[in-house]
Amino acid sequence: MKTLIAAYSGVLRGEHRAEAARRENKNGGSALSREGSGRWGTGSSILSALQDIFSVSWLNRSKVEKQLQVISVLQWVLSFLVLGVACSVILMYTFCTDCWLLAVLYFTWLAFDWNTPKKGGRRSQWVRNWTVWRYFRDYFPIQLVKTHNLLTTRNYIFGYHPHGIMGLGAFCNFSTEVTEVSKKFPGIRPYLAKLAGNFRMPVLREYLMSGGICPVNRDTIDYLLSKNGSGNAIIIVVGGAAESLSSMPGKNTVTLRNCKGFVKLALRHGADLVPTYSFGENEVYKQVIFEEGSWGRWVQKKFQKYIGFAPCIFHGRGLFSSDTWGLVPYSKPITTVVGEPITVPKLEYPTQKDIDMYHAMYMKALVKLFDNHKTKFSLPETEVLDPVRGVQLLEGATANPFLPSSLVHLVL
């Protein structure tokens, strides 16, 4: 404000000097020169004021950039949490208004389009390349590390670890192009597998499919690995709801001991297994951890058993300050390392022995991947990843006859 007042004062002084010069000098020559000097003084004052305005702190480029990053992350978090429910309520309300025909048209189209997610959806390169995802990436920041080439003549199942609260690294690296996944793995089409219930939500399903996200169910995975050619990579967050319950900063554990359904699928389709570990995924949110036997853990188990996900009590930072609580995740680096693929034969009817053998190979490869890279991301040499131990939340869960046992509870 002071800067604007100073500029305005400079303008007035310049005008007064020019007017006085015109009155005092009848010949006009000296008055012209004075008037010119007044004009130049006015222009100089305005230019100086503008320079001062654009140098003030609230218009600082780096701060504006940071706020754009925060907003880009918050919009995705809110989309993840409430977009589906909000759009469902709005459409139902539309039925009671003069615009009811729009809701009827959408639901009619939805009925015809119901099975599209099961066939890989409708990915949009335009959506995957939105500028907002660049701000999303730079907020943490997030990066994707390639360790080995992938053949375009094969199909793949990526096991993503750990789940974290929202799987932010999985989304940014495989559902957008800001970390150059298509350039690092040319000819490979990534499909991030997400809880199938999300694809029953109007509008949200379109948003998810545009990024190359698909339902994590047997029909979808069978289609992509058998009827969609080669070069497909399905990213499954293997630990699912059970793993999210143990997510907390400073903790690197994965729930893998009883998760063998993804291995069975890989054997049935001859899809190579690719261990993937995301360093920093557990650092971006703080969570209230309920002890085994507590009422809180009992509620979480019931939700997981009957609905397929476990509610978590978590928090990040506030929208305007990192010193307050809110839904915005903390700005911590997330680095997703894609390991060496494990060649898997095609067995139409794999035995339990086959499944156990390749599951053990996968666990060994995941531990090796973690050990080879942990010191690069500020973890001590003594840090150990043990995929054998894990929360036994998958035991006794309600089975779905159409899903491999572990895929019942896979959730992003």
Side-chain angles (χ1 to χ4, degrees), residues 146 148-153 156 158 185-186 188 233 274 338-341:
K146 168 186 174 181
H148 291 79
N149 293 324
L150 299 181
L151 299 175
T152 58
T153 56
Y156 301 91
F158 285 34
F185 300 103
I188 302 298
V274 183
V338 180
E340 181 179 4

Side-chain angles (χ1 to χ4, degrees), residues 60-61 82 84 113 183 226-227 255 269 273 286 300 308 312:
N60 185 277
R61 181 179 177 85
V82 302
D113 193 61
K183 292 182 179 179
S226 62
K227 299 178 181 179
T255 302
H269 295 283
L273 292 168
K286 296 179 181 178
Q300 289 176 325
C312 303

Side-chain angles (χ1 to χ4, degrees), residues 91 94-105:
L91 281 170
T94 305
F95 273 115
C96 304
T97 68
D98 293 338
C99 298
W100 61 269
L101 183 59
L102 293 177
V104 171
L105 290 174

Side-chain angles (χ1 to χ4, degrees), residues 195-244:
L195 190 67
N198 290 285
F199 295 89
R200 301 186 186 100
M201 299 284 189
V203 182
L204 176 62
R205 68 192 291 275
E206 326 301 336
Y207 191 30
L208 296 177
M209 286 193 293
S210 66
I213 301 177
C214 66
V216 59
N217 57 37
R218 180 169 174 175
D219 290 341
T220 304
I221 296 175
D222 282 344
Y223 180 88
L224 292 175
L225 295 181
S226 62
K227 299 178 181 179
N228 200 42
S230 60
N232 302 292
I234 302 174
I235 297 87
I236 298 177
V237 187
V238 177
E243 197 168 85
S244 67

Side-chain angles (χ1 to χ4, degrees), residues 12-193:
L12 292 179
R13 285 196 298 271
E15 290 177 350
H16 288 320
R17 282 197 297 268
E19 184 63 27
R22 282 195 296 270
R23 290 178 179 177
E24 292 175 1
N25 197 321
K26 296 180 180 180
N27 297 328
S30 59
L32 182 61
S33 65
R34 291 178 184 178
E35 184 179 355
S37 65
R39 289 175 180 172
W40 283 111
T42 300
S44 175
S45 298
I46 293 175
L47 179 61
S48 176
L50 289 174
Q51 290 175 341
D52 290 342
I53 289 173
F54 285 104
S55 65
V56 295
S57 59
W58 60 273
L59 277 179
N60 185 277
R61 181 179 177 85
S62 62
K63 290 189 177 181
V64 172
E65 186 94 0
K66 188 63 178 178
Q67 285 303 314
L68 288 174
Q69 293 172 4
V70 171
I71 293 170
S72 69
V73 173
L74 181 61
Q75 68 82 24
W76 186 85
V77 171
L78 293 178
S79 298
F80 179 89
L81 295 175
V82 302
L83 180 61
V85 175
C87 289
S88 299
V89 172
I90 291 172
L91 281 170
M92 294 304 295
Y93 171 75
T94 305
F95 273 115
C96 304
T97 68
D98 293 338
C99 298
W100 61 269
L101 183 59
L102 293 177
V104 171
L105 290 174
Y106 179 81
F107 279 110
T108 301
W109 175 82
L110 186 63
F112 284 102
D113 193 61
W114 190 253
N115 290 323
T116 298
K118 297 179 181 180
K119 298 180 180 180
R122 286 183 300 271
R123 72 174 57 216
S124 167
Q125 288 302 116
W126 175 65
V127 174
R128 288 173 63 89
N129 284 281
W130 275 355
T131 301
V132 68
W133 305 134
R134 177 173 63 82
Y135 290 112
F136 184 99
R137 174 200 64 194
D138 294 342
Y139 171 77
F140 295 95
I142 296 175
Q143 62 176 322
L144 179 66
V145 176
K146 168 186 174 181
T147 61
H148 291 79
N149 293 324
L150 299 181
L151 299 175
T152 58
T153 56
R154 301 283 295 174
N155 285 323
Y156 301 91
I157 292 180
F158 285 34
Y160 184 90
H161 312 270
H163 182 286
I165 297 296
M166 294 187 183
L168 295 165
F171 170 79
C172 185
N173 285 311
F174 301 111
S175 293
T176 76
E177 293 293 335
V178 290
T179 55
E180 301 184 331
V181 61
S182 295
K183 292 182 179 179
K184 292 177 180 178
F185 300 103
I188 302 298
R189 293 180 299 277
Y191 293 90
L192 179 59

